[in-house]
Amino acid sequence: MAEKVKLISHVDAINWNRIEDPVDDEVWDRLTANFWLPEKVPLSNDVPSWNTLTPEEKQLTMRVFTGLTLLDTVQGTVGAVSLIPDSLTPHEEAVYTNIAFMESVHAKSYSSIFSTLSSTKEIDDAFRWSTENQNLQRKADIVLSYYRGDSPLKRKVASTLLESFLFYSGFYLPMYWSSHAKLTNTADLIRLIIRDEAVHGYYIGYKYQKGLERVDEATREELKAYTFDLLFELYENEVQYTHDLYDSVGLSEDVKKFLHYNANKALMNLGYEPMFPKDVTDVNPAILSALSPNADENHDFFSGSGSSYVIGKAVNTEDDDWDF
Amino acid sequence: MTVVYYSSSSNYTHAFAQKLRAAGQHCVRLPLLTKDDTLLMEEPFVLITPTYGAGPRRGAVPKQVIKFLNVPQNRELLCGVIGAGNTNFGETYCQAAHIVAQKCQVPLLYRFELLGLPEDVRNVNEGLNRLWKQKLQRRA
Ligand SMILES: Cc1cc2nc3c(=O)[nH]c(=O)nc-3n(C[C@H](O)[C@H](O)[C@H](O)COP(=O)(O)O)c2cc1C
Ligand SMILES: [Fe+2]
Ligand SMILES: [Fe+2]
């Protein structure tokens, strides 16, 4: 590492009783309440199901997970840390340290999956593939180049696109297995990661929008153009990466819909309107319900026949400020 | 007839409501701060709420929404609830809207993610128009 690490020049003791932006406090609470470790998930229950996969399917799964490991490593050791010096509040700095740590938990959890399911040789082969696959390396390189760049807001754009878009070519596969009742414990672990990434993407995107409020109109326009350019660059690479991985099992087209769906959400996290139209974001319902079991919209009055509805099942809350 | 919505400082739901406004719906935003006075409704309305919270069992419904629904007259006039959220939260997708629907025994009308897609705006706008018409017919 040749470059000099940029550190904050002055630090005051952080006072959590003086909150400048309530979002810092809310997000910290959610992130710490979400805390988990891979040891909590009974991954070994997936061994019988792993053994039903073909050698090609196993190899695909291992490759997908090493790809995800690389992104979490990038985000933990460079991405989240690179955001600290540009923070607007001391609490924002603290939130990034939490995000950085959790990315390291994510990265390590793939190794827990590997050691539970496969052999040292298969693991080494998959990691070798991850260093040799050009499209995977390119996606890490593109993002890293912006993390090293000198624009704090561009760093946040790159970071939000990583959190909310770049992971999803990989997240697709465990959702796919789960929808076929395979590797369901692994899928449970991945859902914990997805939930964390949702808060990360929301938060970094929110701080980007806060930053936009402080620059002039011309800079805002430039950053918007930059965001769409970077998304396109990453998208094209993502499509090739998707073909590299999924052509052999015939799932590439399905994965691409999931990419579009998530690219829209990444844009929205940055405050921009979604770009991909409905006919290319119609994610396979089985994948969507693996992601969120309650997402089935047929129960919603406005989208079903409009003649009947169900009132949802009771949810216990611990909130005591309800009067009824 | 009115759409009442809560939106935090990230303003996603506010952006959705702006699009409903442009489509001709009358939309009113709840105060951002819990200490501010809440609204008192005088006519039937639909509520849009995002989901927050520090976990599955805590704080899903924004405090300002709870304060608003704690007013019995508001509860009586509530016709239905629309949820804003993100499916990446898994099981708790739009949980606040589910909780309100359950507690107030009103239908969950629709759910959408973040700023909403153009289709979401259209579905909600058309759904609201149908609902308002039904209410008027029932009154006549
Ligand atoms: C701390 C935190 C927790 C959240 N929890 C959930 C959740 O459990 N379920 C969900 O569907 N969305 C959840 N969201 C997403 C928000 O509901 C979503 O981004 C919404 O569009 C925010 O609307 P607003 O900007 O108008 O406040 C959460 C967001 C944050 C920041
Ligand atoms: Fe991560
Ligand atoms: Fe993350």
PDB file of all heavy atoms in Angstrom, chain A residues 40-56:
ATOM      1  N   LYS A  40     -24.434 -19.022  15.052  1.00  0.00           N
ATOM      2  CA  LYS A  40     -25.831 -19.136  15.499  1.00  0.00           C
ATOM      3  C   LYS A  40     -26.700 -19.905  14.508  1.00  0.00           C
ATOM      4  O   LYS A  40     -27.807 -20.314  14.827  1.00  0.00           O
ATOM      5  CB  LYS A  40     -26.441 -17.730  15.677  1.00  0.00           C
ATOM      6  CG  LYS A  40     -25.802 -16.909  16.770  1.00  0.00           C
ATOM      7  CD  LYS A  40     -26.603 -17.036  18.069  1.00  0.00           C
ATOM      8  CE  LYS A  40     -25.769 -16.659  19.268  1.00  0.00           C
ATOM      9  NZ  LYS A  40     -25.367 -15.238  19.248  1.00  0.00           N
ATOM     10  N   VAL A  41     -26.204 -20.076  13.286  1.00  0.00           N
ATOM     11  CA  VAL A  41     -27.013 -20.720  12.248  1.00  0.00           C
ATOM     12  C   VAL A  41     -26.564 -22.172  12.090  1.00  0.00           C
ATOM     13  O   VAL A  41     -25.376 -22.433  11.903  1.00  0.00           O
ATOM     14  CB  VAL A  41     -26.854 -19.962  10.901  1.00  0.00           C
ATOM     15  CG1 VAL A  41     -27.753 -20.563   9.826  1.00  0.00           C
ATOM     16  CG2 VAL A  41     -27.153 -18.468  11.078  1.00  0.00           C
ATOM     17  N   PRO A  42     -27.494 -23.122  12.214  1.00  0.00           N
ATOM     18  CA  PRO A  42     -27.109 -24.556  12.142  1.00  0.00           C
ATOM     19  C   PRO A  42     -26.791 -25.005  10.717  1.00  0.00           C
ATOM     20  O   PRO A  42     -27.514 -25.788  10.110  1.00  0.00           O
ATOM     21  CB  PRO A  42     -28.347 -25.270  12.701  1.00  0.00           C
ATOM     22  CG  PRO A  42     -29.489 -24.349  12.422  1.00  0.00           C
ATOM     23  CD  PRO A  42     -28.934 -22.944  12.442  1.00  0.00           C
ATOM     24  N   LEU A  43     -25.662 -24.514  10.212  1.00  0.00           N
ATOM     25  CA  LEU A  43     -25.292 -24.781   8.820  1.00  0.00           C
ATOM     26  C   LEU A  43     -25.113 -26.260   8.520  1.00  0.00           C
ATOM     27  O   LEU A  43     -25.364 -26.715   7.407  1.00  0.00           O
ATOM     28  CB  LEU A  43     -23.982 -24.035   8.482  1.00  0.00           C
ATOM     29  CG  LEU A  43     -24.080 -22.512   8.433  1.00  0.00           C
ATOM     30  CD1 LEU A  43     -22.689 -21.891   8.362  1.00  0.00           C
ATOM     31  CD2 LEU A  43     -24.936 -22.063   7.251  1.00  0.00           C
ATOM     32  N   SER A  44     -24.700 -27.026   9.546  1.00  0.00           N
ATOM     33  CA  SER A  44     -24.401 -28.439   9.277  1.00  0.00           C
ATOM     34  C   SER A  44     -25.666 -29.218   8.874  1.00  0.00           C
ATOM     35  O   SER A  44     -25.559 -30.275   8.248  1.00  0.00           O
ATOM     36  CB  SER A  44     -23.730 -29.085  10.485  1.00  0.00           C
ATOM     37  OG  SER A  44     -24.575 -28.958  11.601  1.00  0.00           O
ATOM     38  N   ASN A  45     -26.838 -28.669   9.195  1.00  0.00           N
ATOM     39  CA  ASN A  45     -28.068 -29.326   8.735  1.00  0.00           C
ATOM     40  C   ASN A  45     -28.193 -29.316   7.209  1.00  0.00           C
ATOM     41  O   ASN A  45     -29.036 -30.013   6.652  1.00  0.00           O
ATOM     42  CB  ASN A  45     -29.304 -28.629   9.325  1.00  0.00           C
ATOM     43  CG  ASN A  45     -29.409 -28.851  10.822  1.00  0.00           C
ATOM     44  OD1 ASN A  45     -28.689 -29.682  11.376  1.00  0.00           O
ATOM     45  ND2 ASN A  45     -30.287 -28.108  11.481  1.00  0.00           N
ATOM     46  N   ASP A  46     -27.363 -28.516   6.566  1.00  0.00           N
ATOM     47  CA  ASP A  46     -27.429 -28.452   5.101  1.00  0.00           C
ATOM     48  C   ASP A  46     -26.579 -29.524   4.409  1.00  0.00           C
ATOM     49  O   ASP A  46     -26.633 -29.639   3.180  1.00  0.00           O
ATOM     50  CB  ASP A  46     -26.965 -27.069   4.603  1.00  0.00           C
ATOM     51  CG  ASP A  46     -28.046 -26.011   4.763  1.00  0.00           C
ATOM     52  OD1 ASP A  46     -29.204 -26.388   5.044  1.00  0.00           O
ATOM     53  OD2 ASP A  46     -27.733 -24.812   4.609  1.00  0.00           O
ATOM     54  N   VAL A  47     -25.817 -30.293   5.191  1.00  0.00           N
ATOM     55  CA  VAL A  47     -24.925 -31.273   4.560  1.00  0.00           C
ATOM     56  C   VAL A  47     -25.680 -32.275   3.679  1.00  0.00           C
ATOM     57  O   VAL A  47     -25.309 -32.495   2.518  1.00  0.00           O
ATOM     58  CB  VAL A  47     -24.041 -31.983   5.610  1.00  0.00           C
ATOM     59  CG1 VAL A  47     -23.272 -33.142   4.984  1.00  0.00           C
ATOM     60  CG2 VAL A  47     -23.077 -30.975   6.242  1.00  0.00           C
ATOM     61  N   PRO A  48     -26.786 -32.877   4.172  1.00  0.00           N
ATOM     62  CA  PRO A  48     -27.497 -33.828   3.303  1.00  0.00           C
ATOM     63  C   PRO A  48     -27.965 -33.190   1.997  1.00  0.00           C
ATOM     64  O   PRO A  48     -27.878 -33.791   0.926  1.00  0.00           O
ATOM     65  CB  PRO A  48     -28.706 -34.262   4.155  1.00  0.00           C
ATOM     66  CG  PRO A  48     -28.323 -33.951   5.558  1.00  0.00           C
ATOM     67  CD  PRO A  48     -27.406 -32.765   5.497  1.00  0.00           C
ATOM     68  N   SER A  49     -28.466 -31.958   2.111  1.00  0.00           N
ATOM     69  CA  SER A  49     -28.961 -31.279   0.927  1.00  0.00           C
ATOM     70  C   SER A  49     -27.820 -30.919  -0.028  1.00  0.00           C
ATOM     71  O   SER A  49     -27.940 -31.041  -1.251  1.00  0.00           O
ATOM     72  CB  SER A  49     -29.750 -30.049   1.396  1.00  0.00           C
ATOM     73  OG  SER A  49     -29.679 -29.013   0.497  1.00  0.00           O
ATOM     74  N   TRP A  50     -26.683 -30.516   0.524  1.00  0.00           N
ATOM     75  CA  TRP A  50     -25.495 -30.228  -0.297  1.00  0.00           C
ATOM     76  C   TRP A  50     -25.113 -31.448  -1.129  1.00  0.00           C
ATOM     77  O   TRP A  50     -24.760 -31.344  -2.297  1.00  0.00           O
ATOM     78  CB  TRP A  50     -24.341 -29.815   0.623  1.00  0.00           C
ATOM     79  CG  TRP A  50     -23.019 -29.590  -0.043  1.00  0.00           C
ATOM     80  CD1 TRP A  50     -21.929 -30.402   0.013  1.00  0.00           C
ATOM     81  CD2 TRP A  50     -22.632 -28.470  -0.863  1.00  0.00           C
ATOM     82  NE1 TRP A  50     -20.885 -29.863  -0.704  1.00  0.00           N
ATOM     83  CE2 TRP A  50     -21.296 -28.674  -1.253  1.00  0.00           C
ATOM     84  CE3 TRP A  50     -23.292 -27.308  -1.303  1.00  0.00           C
ATOM     85  CZ2 TRP A  50     -20.590 -27.774  -2.059  1.00  0.00           C
ATOM     86  CZ3 TRP A  50     -22.582 -26.414  -2.098  1.00  0.00           C
ATOM     87  CH2 TRP A  50     -21.264 -26.658  -2.470  1.00  0.00           C
ATOM     88  N   ASN A  51     -25.258 -32.611  -0.524  1.00  0.00           N
ATOM     89  CA  ASN A  51     -24.858 -33.834  -1.216  1.00  0.00           C
ATOM     90  C   ASN A  51     -25.794 -34.209  -2.365  1.00  0.00           C
ATOM     91  O   ASN A  51     -25.463 -35.083  -3.164  1.00  0.00           O
ATOM     92  CB  ASN A  51     -24.740 -34.994  -0.217  1.00  0.00           C
ATOM     93  CG  ASN A  51     -23.543 -34.779   0.703  1.00  0.00           C
ATOM     94  OD1 ASN A  51     -22.547 -34.171   0.302  1.00  0.00           O
ATOM     95  ND2 ASN A  51     -23.652 -35.258   1.937  1.00  0.00           N
ATOM     96  N   THR A  52     -26.953 -33.555  -2.450  1.00  0.00           N
ATOM     97  CA  THR A  52     -27.846 -33.825  -3.584  1.00  0.00           C
ATOM     98  C   THR A  52     -27.486 -32.958  -4.801  1.00  0.00           C
ATOM     99  O   THR A  52     -28.024 -33.159  -5.879  1.00  0.00           O
ATOM    100  CB  THR A  52     -29.328 -33.546  -3.235  1.00  0.00           C
ATOM    101  OG1 THR A  52     -29.492 -32.133  -3.033  1.00  0.00           O
ATOM    102  CG2 THR A  52     -29.778 -34.298  -1.993  1.00  0.00           C
ATOM    103  N   LEU A  53     -26.603 -31.955  -4.618  1.00  0.00           N
ATOM    104  CA  LEU A  53     -26.242 -31.090  -5.742  1.00  0.00           C
ATOM    105  C   LEU A  53     -25.258 -31.808  -6.673  1.00  0.00           C
ATOM    106  O   LEU A  53     -24.454 -32.616  -6.219  1.00  0.00           O
ATOM    107  CB  LEU A  53     -25.597 -29.785  -5.250  1.00  0.00           C
ATOM    108  CG  LEU A  53     -26.396 -28.888  -4.303  1.00  0.00           C
ATOM    109  CD1 LEU A  53     -25.662 -27.576  -4.077  1.00  0.00           C
ATOM    110  CD2 LEU A  53     -27.799 -28.621  -4.832  1.00  0.00           C
ATOM    111  N   THR A  54     -25.346 -31.488  -7.946  1.00  0.00           N
ATOM    112  CA  THR A  54     -24.385 -32.042  -8.912  1.00  0.00           C
ATOM    113  C   THR A  54     -23.035 -31.356  -8.713  1.00  0.00           C
ATOM    114  O   THR A  54     -22.975 -30.259  -8.124  1.00  0.00           O
ATOM    115  CB  THR A  54     -24.840 -31.777 -10.362  1.00  0.00           C
ATOM    116  OG1 THR A  54     -24.796 -30.356 -10.593  1.00  0.00           O
ATOM    117  CG2 THR A  54     -26.251 -32.286 -10.612  1.00  0.00           C
ATOM    118  N   PRO A  55     -21.952 -31.962  -9.215  1.00  0.00           N
ATOM    119  CA  PRO A  55     -20.637 -31.311  -9.096  1.00  0.00           C
ATOM    120  C   PRO A  55     -20.644 -29.890  -9.678  1.00  0.00           C
ATOM    121  O   PRO A  55     -20.045 -28.976  -9.098  1.00  0.00           O
ATOM    122  CB  PRO A  55     -19.711 -32.237  -9.893  1.00  0.00           C
ATOM    123  CG  PRO A  55     -20.372 -33.563  -9.856  1.00  0.00           C
ATOM    124  CD  PRO A  55     -21.847 -33.302  -9.822  1.00  0.00           C
ATOM    125  N   GLU A  56     -21.351 -29.688 -10.799  1.00  0.00           N
ATOM    126  CA  GLU A  56     -21.409 -28.344 -11.408  1.00  0.00           C
ATOM    127  C   GLU A  56     -22.129 -27.369 -10.480  1.00  0.00           C
ATOM    128  O   GLU A  56     -21.732 -26.209 -10.343  1.00  0.00           O
ATOM    129  CB  GLU A  56     -22.141 -28.369 -12.757  1.00  0.00           C
ATOM    130  CG  GLU A  56     -21.416 -29.102 -13.871  1.00  0.00           C
ATOM    131  CD  GLU A  56     -21.478 -30.617 -13.716  1.00  0.00           C
ATOM    132  OE1 GLU A  56     -22.477 -31.125 -13.137  1.00  0.00           O
ATOM    133  OE2 GLU A  56     -20.518 -31.309 -14.132  1.00  0.00           O
TER     134      GLU A  56
END
